[in-house]
Amino acid sequence: MTAISLDPRLNLQATRKSNQHGVVLEEIEGLIRVHKDGYVERPPMIPSVPSTLALPPGVAAKDVVIDKFANLWTRIYVPSHPGNLPMIVYFHGGGFCVGSAAWSCYHEFLAKLASQASCVIVSVNYRLAPDNRLPAAYDDGFKALMWVKQQALNECSEQKWWLSKCNLSSLFIGGDSAGANIAYHVTTHSGSCDPSILRPLSLKGTVLIQPFFGGEARTWAEKCATQPPYSALTLSNSDTYWRLSLPLGASRDHPWCNPLTKASVAKLRDLMLPSMMVCVSEFDILKDRNFELCNALSSMGIRVETTMHKGVGHAFQVLHNYQLSYSRTQELISNIKAFTIKQ
């Protein structure tokens, strides 16, 4: 398991190329630059890899196109374990602005999750901001969910290689960071629809790993928590991601960013929501917001399982940027497996 370097010095060639596009309006060093002429640059800090690369024994994976015009596709991981397995529709992180289902770090983590948690994983590649601001990612997420439903209804022979392994009555939606935000909003949108909308699928739970939320008022962790130099998410980067992904002119109290405004909470009370698992990291600036979400959901009678991962920060399970990353990732996978079995 190799640590992912976020050292921007590795992208000197990309920096020289970007000069022709003029002034940089927004930048997260090494990951994204947005130029005044509208050009969006995403240096290849993390490599994309093919679906067949370095899979655990007994795991098959393949990329499947959902909507070629929107570049909406999925990488599906299927373990060779006996019986019908839970299915997780999963969304990668990246502040809505960077990331891919093909990134090496997600390929490694999700292949391992499929193998060790005994589940089929449908990893969704969605449109990114600022090229496609929210709600584009939410729309893609719900479209991917409806695509899974349609494949199940059609009993499509082309997709039987993974559908035949799924327990359609044991569907989960999950993601990490911005992907967990997408998973949350896809879940709440599903909860606002007619209960039959997912049939023959049955949504049993939602897995939120370090969910990326915000707000105008700062939490203690955002203001005071000391972040190591290799942290995957600083407060400055968080603010930049929100400026690039929210509708133009929106504040961080927009309901897509802050789900705990009075208006948002009032709407939640009328929804049929499944059990939720929220995975929190000790050194994550989002820690306080994650706990606030858990408390709010629990107060509305939603069953919430909260896990705290000590000694690690944001995205430890994919970036391996902490000494305890490996053991905490194994812990995380065990917790997810237990959650899917209990529902």
Side-chain angles (χ1 to χ4, degrees):
M1 186 167 62
T2 307
I4 300 293
S5 172
L6 294 181
D7 188 345
R9 292 172 297 180
L10 300 176
N11 290 285
L12 295 177
Q13 184 176 358
T15 301
R16 286 194 292 269
K17 181 183 176 184
S18 71
N19 290 339
Q20 63 185 300
H21 293 283
V23 176
V24 175
L25 296 181
E26 296 278 10
E27 178 175 15
I28 295 176
E29 197 169 11
L31 287 172
I32 187 170
R33 296 183 193 93
V34 181
H35 296 258
K36 190 174 182 179
D37 67 356
Y39 181 73
V40 178
E41 185 182 2
R42 296 181 178 90
M45 179 71 77
I46 299 173
S48 293
V49 298
S51 61
T52 52
L53 182 72
L55 292 167
V59 174
K62 185 178 177 182
D63 294 343
V64 180
V65 174
I66 296 174
D67 183 346
K68 65 180 180 180
F69 299 107
N71 193 31
L72 177 61
W73 55 273
T74 180
R75 179 165 293 184
I76 303 175
Y77 300 87
V78 184
S80 59
H81 301 173
N84 291 331
L85 307 175
M87 171 175 34
I88 303 177
V89 176
Y90 192 93
F91 303 97
H92 67 78
F96 304 106
C97 298
V98 299
S100 168
W103 266 13
S104 59
C105 54
Y106 280 103
H107 179 71
E108 178 187 356
F109 171 62
L110 294 177
K112 183 184 296 185
L113 180 62
S115 175
Q116 297 182 9
S118 302
C119 55
V120 174
I121 295 181
V122 178
S123 175
V124 179
N125 197 79
Y126 53 87
R127 288 173 293 169
L128 300 175
D131 323 57
N132 299 279
R133 289 176 177 266
L134 296 175
Y138 302 149
D139 294 342
D140 287 353
F142 193 71
K143 182 185 283 190
L145 193 61
M146 291 298 98
W147 176 84
V148 171
K149 167 193 169 171
Q150 202 57 51
Q151 305 315 301
L153 283 173
N154 293 346
E155 298 182 347
C156 179
S157 58
E158 191 180 350
Q159 307 301 336
K160 241 175 188 171
W161 67 276
W162 63 275
L163 272 173
S164 63
K165 295 291 294 182
C166 295
N167 177 358
L168 300 180
S169 296
S170 189
L171 169 69
F172 294 82
I173 300 173
D176 65 286
S177 192
N181 178 302
I182 296 169
Y184 175 83
H185 285 290
V186 170
T187 298
T188 56
H189 180 65
S190 301
S192 69
C193 299
D194 187 286
S196 65
I197 192 168
L198 292 178
R199 289 178 193 159
L201 307 176
S202 178
L203 180 58
K204 295 298 187 185
T206 300
V207 178
L208 306 178
I209 304 172
Q210 305 136 12
F212 182 47
F213 291 111
E216 285 298 313
R218 302 298 193 188
T219 65
W220 182 91
E222 289 171 343
K223 289 186 294 186
C224 304
T226 302
Q227 291 293 296
Y230 46 81
S231 172
L233 186 67
T234 64
L235 186 59
S236 173
N237 288 353
S238 173
D239 289 350
T240 301
Y241 282 135
W242 287 120
R243 285 195 301 272
L244 292 176
S245 59
L246 286 171
L248 289 171
S251 77
R252 292 191 306 274
D253 281 331
H254 190 287
W256 294 338
C257 176
N258 186 353
L260 299 183
T261 61
K262 286 185 179 179
S264 297
V265 170
K267 290 179 181 178
L268 280 179
R269 297 186 188 281
D270 299 326
L271 304 183
M272 293 289 293
L273 298 179
S275 299
M276 295 200 186
M277 176 182 182
V278 181
C279 308
V280 185
S281 294
E282 182 182 14
F283 298 150
D284 191 354
I285 63 167
L286 300 177
K287 176 176 68 174
D288 294 344
R289 293 197 183 278
N290 292 175
F291 282 130
E292 288 171 0
L293 178 68
C294 294
N295 293 337
L297 293 173
S298 295
S299 70
M300 286 181 275
I302 299 163
R303 198 167 79 80
V304 180
E305 186 172 314
T306 308
T307 64
M308 165 64 88
H309 300 279
K310 298 277 190 179
V312 289
H314 198 76
F316 71 87
Q317 74 285 353
V318 288
L319 296 182
H320 317 309
N321 51 351
Y322 290 84
Q323 187 176 359
L324 294 174
S325 286
Y326 177 77
S327 60
R328 294 297 180 253
T329 300
Q330 294 303 120
E331 179 182 275
L332 173 65
I333 290 173
S334 296
N335 290 337
I336 293 173
K337 181 176 183 178
F339 181 73
T340 61
I341 290 172
K342 282 188 288 190
Q343 306 311 311

